[in-house]
Amino acid sequence: MNRVNDFAFKIATANGTGSASANGLIMQAIFRMGIPVTGKNVFPSNIQGLPTWYEIRVSGRGYTARTPVFDLMVALNAATYKKDVAEVRSGGWLLFDSSWPLDDALKRPDVTYIGVPLAEMCNAAFKGVRERILMKNIAYAGALAALLDMDTDVIRALLKEKFGRKPALMDSNQRAVDLGYDYVKSSVSCPLPIRLSPMAATAESILIDGNTAAALGCLYAGATVGAWYPITPATSLMEAFRNFCLKYRRDAESGKNRFAILQAEDELAAIGMVIGAGWAGARAFTPTAGPGISLMNEFIGLAYYAEVPAVIFDVQRTGPSTGMPTRTQQGDLMMCAYASHGDTRHICLYPADPREAFEFAAQSFDLAERFQTPVFVLSDLDIGMNDWMVPKLSWDDSYRPDRGKVLTAEQLEQAKAFHRYLDTDGDGIAARTLPGVHPKGAFFTRGSGHNKLGGYTEDGDEYVELIDRIDRKIQGAAAAVPAPLVRPAAGATMGLVTVGGCHAACIEALDLLAADGVALDYMRVRGFPFGDDVRAFLDAHDVNFIVEQNRDGQLRSLLMLETGVPIEKLESVRYYGGFPMSAHHVIAGVKGKLEKAA
């Protein structure tokens, strides 16, 4: 095992011990060395003291999918030693705190054990229980720097950036790094065969999580109203939006806020606030997760039927019910596509990483106002809360919001009459007005039966006419949502199809399968309703492997229902255990299906 810039390691600690700072320091240092890197935080949903892990993958080729086996384990939580030892690759290494003896039952002959007395060193060097615990984490970062040949000048620069105005903290953190580094250098042959070597592959990239990127997209798109109820893993999206607004949405002269962020008593109230703000003309949104979407269903139907724009971010997590709140999944695809009772169909966008979370967040507001309807942006916990290396975010300064068919006071003054639900140009979209613009623009907003003139009705024909127009409008959005990403392969007769965060695993799996003689054309669906290009791809292949993260094959069901492609053409490849999908899962699924067919 001798690999440069191509390995993965995992850090096992306990929640609440302050390990996040050390893990972030390690990630940033590798990134600053110009080496592609990605991090996955696996944390508990309960209070302080339970196990937590941080996984870091280094890939000079730029792969970002999770790997289920690790070359190096930093095992610092005795409660998970057995599990952590089992996850080390044969021939790998395990770093542990040798302040206490390691049970012989935990030792594997095919793993090299590296003992570092982290607690002893920090107890001697620092005062106070809390400081000793925190500095122990920074000390293991120093140990890893020695083992992996991390640039210590980069680490020193990062500490200066963070603690430059607090010399005491700067000194203690640097001392802790030196403790771990110097001990390992003096007692272990360094670096390990898995090591880092500077590259120049990150200059045009950034490290960012999807929730922060989505919040920035909302800001750029002109969103001014956010309503929410705290829920993992969506809370940080609104927190990031609030911080951006405090910096960029305050009037320079008066100091008054030019935004409104409202924490509601529950998710139903939050979406109600968003619908009210959208009706009044503001760009408004709510971030939530599956349980929140479940509660919002009735109001979502109101916005669909009354044709009010609203944007909903669904940062998906494992369900049903409370499920596993801090694990990832794609379990809301069907629910968001058809949310609420009755006949509904909703515009959905599926970002694959934080960069697309930024871009699709901005686009969602244009779609919501253009088509006067709720729009869902379906991220997931992996995208939303983990650190991703993505190309730098870019923005077109000439962008102007697409407000859709909103009549001005001048247009209303010249009109003989205004009818809110009357489609005058055949695209299924009726013009709307904003309150207070002109007396002629007044109308009664109904969630009950109404006809094209805006009047109350229980007439079947009038209802059918209106509900069919809304459906025609939504189906027309297929040409406006992000087009699928398609990557053909020479000689391929089969297809691989996925959605959202599975993209990273699929891209890596495609390369490995191709090297093994299995060529597959690739399509990543990025928006719903599906366009003709989605059906054309499926029709072009006898077999399409549908890769997703849920038990019931929800993407497969949507493709079958909405395109009419025979179910025999759609083979399901699924992983839904709560961790991000790996290339291993994709390859095992595809090969298993091929072997069964043979």
Side-chain angles (χ1 to χ4, degrees):
M1 187 187 293
N2 190 358
R3 298 198 307 277
V4 176
N5 297 340
D6 182 23
F7 58 91
F9 60 101
K10 188 171 184 176
I11 301 164
T13 58
N15 196 33
T17 60
S19 58
S21 295
N23 300 335
L25 176 67
I26 296 164
M27 272 277 293
Q28 285 282 352
I30 297 171
F31 180 78
R32 293 281 183 93
M33 290 177 67
I35 306 166
V37 62
T38 190
K40 308 290 185 188
N41 190 19
V42 182
F43 60 101
S45 60
N46 290 307
I47 59 175
Q48 178 173 320
L50 291 180
T52 185
W53 295 268
Y54 196 75
E55 304 171 358
I56 295 178
R57 181 176 183 185
V58 178
S59 173
R61 291 174 291 179
Y63 293 133
T64 58
R66 179 179 186 262
T67 177
V69 182
F70 300 91
D71 303 292
L72 168 66
M73 179 70 66
V74 181
L76 299 178
N77 186 357
T80 62
Y81 272 171
K82 185 176 180 181
K83 176 182 175 66
D84 298 334
V85 169
E87 290 188 357
V88 182
R89 187 191 304 275
S90 180
W93 296 263
L94 185 139
L95 187 156
F96 69 100
D97 188 348
S98 59
S99 303
W100 301 275
L102 191 66
D103 190 333
D104 288 340
L106 297 171
K107 295 180 179 178
R108 286 171 46 187
D110 60 337
V111 171
T112 300
Y113 288 75
I114 301 171
V116 181
L118 295 167
E120 286 183 6
M121 292 191 300
C122 290
N123 286 345
F126 303 101
K127 296 180 179 180
V129 174
R130 186 61 181 167
E131 184 183 27
R132 287 167 173 169
I133 292 173
L134 294 175
M135 291 304 108
K136 177 180 170 181
N137 292 323
I138 303 301
Y140 76 64
L144 286 172
L147 291 172
L148 303 178
D149 206 12
M150 205 176 298
D151 191 331
T152 54
D153 289 337
V154 170
I155 295 176
R156 189 171 291 104
L158 286 167
L159 291 175
K160 187 175 182 179
E161 287 177 19
K162 187 172 183 179
F163 302 114
R165 296 183 180 180
K166 300 177 180 179
L169 284 176
M170 171 73 186
D171 290 344
S172 60
N173 276 267
Q174 185 61 60
R175 196 179 345 145
V177 169
D178 292 341
L179 281 174
Y181 185 88
D182 293 342
Y183 182 89
V184 170
K185 273 288 191 180
S186 65
S187 59
V188 181
S189 178
C190 296
L192 298 178
I194 52 167
R195 63 181 181 84
L196 303 167
S197 179
M199 295 177 64
T202 64
E204 297 303 315
S205 299
I206 59 172
L207 285 175
I208 192 170
D209 65 85
N211 284 351
T212 300
L216 190 61
C218 293
L219 185 86
Y220 272 62
T224 56
V225 176
W228 67 307
Y229 183 77
I231 186 171
T232 301
T235 293
S236 61
L237 198 161
M238 189 59 82
E239 291 173 344
F241 182 71
R242 179 180 181 274
N243 290 335
F244 287 135
C245 286
L246 289 172
K247 186 172 183 178
Y248 298 110
R249 288 236 193 287
R250 275 187 163 166
D251 185 84
E253 295 183 1
S254 67
K256 291 184 177 180
N257 293 337
R258 294 184 290 112
F259 64 93
I261 295 176
L262 307 156
Q263 182 175 328
E265 63 268 31
D266 56 30
E267 289 89 349
L268 184 59
I271 188 60
M273 294 172 182
V274 168
I275 293 168
W279 174 84
R283 290 197 148 184
F285 72 97
T286 184
T288 189
I293 302 293
S294 296
L295 288 174
M296 295 176 183
N297 262 248
E298 185 175 359
F299 264 163
I300 292 169
L302 168 66
Y304 174 85
Y305 192 34
E307 300 181 69
V308 180
V311 172
I312 303 164
F313 291 89
D314 180 9
V315 189
Q316 298 170 92
R317 70 187 207 187
T318 304
S321 185
T322 306
M324 296 190 292
T326 59
R327 298 292 184 266
T328 196
Q329 205 172 75
Q330 295 173 325
D332 302 343
L333 303 182
M334 293 287 286
M335 178 168 66
C336 290
Y338 305 118
S340 199
H341 58 280
D343 291 319
T344 58
R345 184 179 282 105
H346 302 294
I347 298 171
C348 299
L349 308 182
Y350 309 115
D353 57 34
R355 185 186 187 187
E356 284 193 340
F358 168 73
E359 295 170 348
F360 290 5
Q363 188 174 357
S364 67
F365 291 95
D366 284 349
L367 291 168
E369 293 204 293
R370 177 178 168 186
F371 292 96
Q372 301 171 26
T373 195
V375 172
F376 292 86
V377 182
L378 282 83
S379 176
D380 59 43
L381 183 145
D382 181 31
I383 296 171
M385 295 191 71
N386 282 328
D387 299 313
W388 291 64
M389 190 187 93
V390 296
K392 291 179 180 178
L393 306 182
S394 60
W395 186 254
D396 183 357
D397 287 334
S398 66
Y399 166 80
R400 296 295 179 270
D402 181 356
R403 305 304 304 270
K405 297 179 182 179
V406 181
L407 298 181
T408 64
E410 292 74 19
Q411 290 171 318
L412 288 165
E413 179 65 33
Q414 296 171 12
K416 292 182 179 180
F418 167 69
H419 300 293
R420 171 64 182 96
Y421 301 108
L422 183 63
D423 175 18
T424 59
D425 49 17
D427 63 358
I429 306 171
R432 66 182 175 120
T433 59
L434 301 181
V437 170
H438 193 281
K440 283 187 180 179
F443 67 97
F444 192 87
T445 305
R446 296 182 184 274
S448 57
H450 53 273
N451 59 25
K452 64 185 177 183
L453 302 180
Y456 176 77
T457 187
E458 293 187 21
D459 181 87
D461 291 339
E462 288 186 326
Y463 167 80
V464 168
E465 180 183 18
L466 186 129
I467 204 74
D468 284 354
R469 175 190 54 83
I470 294 176
D471 185 55
R472 187 168 68 254
K473 173 185 75 172
I474 300 299
Q475 294 286 13
V481 301
L485 184 151
V486 176
R487 191 178 91 171
T493 60
M494 299 177 292
L496 188 77
V497 180
T498 197
V499 66
C502 295
H503 176 66
C506 287
I507 289 296
E508 183 177 357
L510 286 168
D511 291 347
L512 295 173
L513 286 166
D516 203 23
V518 180
L520 297 168
D521 291 330
Y522 178 61
M523 177 175 69
R524 174 164 62 86
V525 175
R526 301 198 298 166
F528 179 86
F530 304 133
D532 293 338
D533 41 8
V534 172
R535 168 152 192 163
F537 182 95
L538 299 175
D539 277 337
H541 303 93
D542 293 333
V543 175
N544 297 279
F545 299 101
I546 314 301
V547 180
E548 54 187 312
Q549 287 190 265
N550 55 72
R551 183 194 69 185
D552 295 338
Q554 294 184 30
L555 176 61
R556 181 175 181 247
S557 295
L558 274 177
L559 291 168
M560 181 183 65
L561 289 169
E562 296 288 334
T563 69
V565 170
I567 193 67
E568 294 78 15
K569 281 179 169 279
L570 309 177
E571 287 284 354
S572 189
V573 174
R574 294 159 292 149
Y575 168 74
Y576 45 92
F579 293 101
M581 183 168 278
S582 70
H584 168 79
H585 294 127
V586 180
I587 293 169
V590 169
K591 288 192 171 182
K593 298 289 183 181
L594 292 175
E595 290 170 3
K596 186 177 179 180

